[in-house]
Amino acid sequence: MIRLFIADVSGLDIDACLASVSPQRREKTLRLKNDDDKRRSLGVELLLEKAAGRSDYALTENGKPFFPDGGAYFSLSHCGKYAVCAVSGVPVGADIELARDNALRLAERFFMPDEAALVERSLTPEAEFCRLWTLKESYIKAAGLRLGDVRTFSVVRGVEGYSFGSAGIGEYRIGYCVKAPDIGKIEIINEKL
């Protein structure tokens, strides 16, 4: 089962939230110049606290957050006005994105040939690129890979041992992935921060 927490972070009070996050997140957030970036940074940790009841995570050498003592697996993402946190009992990845221009050029550069062909054939190439990109990035997060590995696998063909799904919120696309033969039950929770 995946619990997918989504929150609109555009109205977060930055100063109030800084007091509610870990020292590492506070430091990271204060290095950001743009207030919207600060809200997204704060929002993912606040969502993790709501979703898992804790935020005492560490980072792998690839930058993947994890709980050092085990327990739940989680994945964080943010884009535009939203923050997302996926929590599961197995390795999980999640990504949220907004469709962007130049989908065909980007697909040729970052996708495997079968994925790029799907974008090229689509009546809405920007939306299809976004859907595939979120699935690819969710797998990278679930498997603990680096973004540079994006051309080493195809979500169209699938990845052995992993299952994929996607959802939308307005114009945004959310991709998620779990290390399991079946995606299982998805619980989507719109959270108020």
Side-chain angles (χ1 to χ4, degrees), residues 116-130:
L118 203 57
V119 172
E120 187 176 326
R121 288 190 311 264
S122 175
L123 297 175
T124 55
E126 286 76 17
E128 184 62 11
F129 175 86
C130 188

Side-chain angles (χ1 to χ4, degrees), residues 38-106:
K38 289 178 182 179
R39 286 184 184 94
R40 286 186 287 269
S41 177
L42 293 165
V44 292
E45 186 164 304
L46 293 171
L47 265 183
L48 176 60
E49 182 69 39
K50 286 204 176 223
R54 59 192 280 201
S55 59
D56 57 328
Y57 61 89
L59 300 173
T60 67
E61 71 177 44
N62 286 348
K64 177 180 171 60
F66 69 99
F67 291 131
D69 61 355
Y73 293 91
F74 66 95
S75 181
L76 307 172
S77 184
H78 54 70
C79 178
K81 67 180 188 173
Y82 289 104
V84 172
C85 175
V87 179
S88 181
V90 296
V92 63
D95 185 46
I96 183 169
E97 298 288 342
L98 198 53
R100 44 182 105 160
D101 294 334
N102 301 317
L104 296 175
R105 188 174 54 80
L106 290 169

Side-chain angles (χ1 to χ4, degrees), residues 139-158:
Y139 170 69
I140 286 169
K141 290 177 177 184
L145 303 174
R146 294 181 180 272
L147 195 53
D149 296 320
V150 73
R151 286 192 57 117
T152 64
F153 62 92
S154 167
V155 295
V156 172
R157 286 191 304 264

Side-chain angles (χ1 to χ4, degrees), residues 14 29 31-40:
I14 294 168
T29 300
R31 286 193 307 263
L32 300 170
K33 298 197 183 324
N34 179 294
D35 283 352
D36 289 336
D37 291 338
K38 289 178 182 179
R39 286 184 184 94
R40 286 186 287 269

